[in-house]
Amino acid sequence: MKEIRLRLMAIALMAMCQGGMVMAQSILDNLTFPAPSQWIRPVGTNVNMRKSPAAKAEKLCTIDKSCLYPVMGEQGQWYKTRDSWEQGLWIPQGWVSKQVAAEATPEPIKPEMLDRYFGWCKTYEDWSEWIVSPPVGKHGLTLMYITGSNAPHYDELWLGKQVGNVFVFKYMVHLTIYPDADGPEKNKLSLEKETVDGELRYNLYVGANYLKEQMHGTFTEMSLDLTKFNDKMIEAIFGDEIRAGRTNWIAVTADRLSGRFTKYELG
């Protein structure tokens, strides 16, 4: 039964990619991606994000001076901010003292920052990678793929859009990619849904035509080609999240895509 369902989803997904399905209106038509209007950068080292606007409040994390952080509010001498990930760790919003943070403007995002992997690696058991696509499909949306050892879910695919000098990602699915670079089905593209520990996950099976060789630190590997995605593929993967109104949030600036934040210590 599972095999039949997988074949049917594969046929449907292939038809979407080839323009075989026509829809009067796309669920992607009215998506919005509000971007923060104010940003700060930590000044100095060991700048702490705290649970409340007080010097003795609980420390949530130490934030990186090579990155920008969105301002979500102010109270006295404190900025309310958040970081969707701090070196791969998912954390809540918090407060940063104005004494150790300065207002900043996101730098322009350059084409060479896109469609390439960035990452950091402390040990073989503690690493993270991410890649952001250029605009894809008729709606000009952007995809970000995150994988790593230290995130709550190792593989995540995000849907967003570039707003000025910021990529705003709003929808996320847990995704596992099964590449088949040497198989006979070069155009293989099938999607399977499953529930693991109460969470919806997607398995994406792809052939050689949806893969390309990309650098990962010091080595190359066949990886999913995000530039091959179109609107129908995006609808198939993110449709459930969009219709249910399940949103997440990550804002990515050039700092994350410039290499200043990233590092590889192991090959």
Side-chain angles (χ1 to χ4, degrees), residues 114-134:
L114 307 178
D115 199 30
R116 57 176 293 194
Y117 275 94
F118 291 92
W120 66 279
C121 183
K122 288 185 177 179
T123 68
Y124 287 111
E125 290 78 31
D126 191 5
W127 60 274
S128 181
E129 281 191 321
W130 56 92
I131 182 171
V132 174
S133 78

Side-chain angles (χ1 to χ4, degrees), residues 81-244:
T81 186
R82 65 171 293 175
D83 182 22
S84 298
W85 77 72
E86 175 62 27
Q87 294 189 335
L89 301 177
W90 304 96
I91 62 172
Q93 62 190 26
W95 297 83
V96 175
S97 171
K98 292 183 179 180
Q99 296 180 357
V100 291
E103 292 191 19
T105 301
E107 298 175 13
I109 294 173
K110 301 175 182 179
E112 59 266 28
M113 296 178 179
L114 307 178
D115 199 30
R116 57 176 293 194
Y117 275 94
F118 291 92
W120 66 279
C121 183
K122 288 185 177 179
T123 68
Y124 287 111
E125 290 78 31
D126 191 5
W127 60 274
S128 181
E129 281 191 321
W130 56 92
I131 182 171
V132 174
S133 78
V136 296
K138 294 180 180 179
H139 291 80
L141 300 174
T142 301
L143 298 164
M144 177 168 65
Y145 178 64
I146 301 176
T147 186
S149 63
N150 59 338
H153 304 281
Y154 291 0
D155 300 272
E156 296 176 352
L157 186 66
W158 289 77
L159 177 65
K161 194 166 189 174
Q162 184 173 352
V163 182
N165 291 330
V166 181
F167 284 109
V168 180
F169 295 94
K170 190 175 173 182
Y171 301 96
M172 183 272 290
V173 296
H174 303 310
L175 183 76
T176 302
I177 299 168
Y178 295 92
D180 187 11
D182 301 319
E185 298 181 62
K186 302 298 183 182
N187 288 315
K188 181 179 181 180
L189 188 68
S190 59
L191 186 69
E192 177 188 19
K193 297 180 185 180
E194 63 177 348
T195 301
V196 179
D197 296 329
E199 284 188 331
L200 181 63
R201 291 188 63 95
Y202 293 82
N203 298 319
L204 185 63
Y205 301 84
V206 295
N209 289 349
Y210 293 96
L211 300 168
K212 68 178 178 182
E213 195 171 78
Q214 291 175 307
M215 287 293 299
H216 295 259
T218 58
F219 63 93
T220 59
E221 186 176 81
M222 293 299 288
S223 304
L224 183 66
D225 187 353
L226 296 178
T227 66
K228 295 288 183 69
F229 276 63
N230 59 32
D231 287 354
K232 299 305 180 184
M233 295 168 65
I234 292 171
E235 287 182 23
I237 294 174
F238 290 96
D240 287 344
E241 302 303 304
I242 295 172
R243 281 186 285 268

Side-chain angles (χ1 to χ4, degrees), residues 246-266:
R246 290 189 291 265
T247 60
N248 289 270
W249 191 84
I250 287 182
V252 177
T253 62
D255 299 78
R256 297 282 186 186
L257 305 174
S258 65
R260 290 193 296 268
F261 170 78
T262 61
K263 64 178 180 178
Y264 282 94
E265 295 180 352
L266 298 173

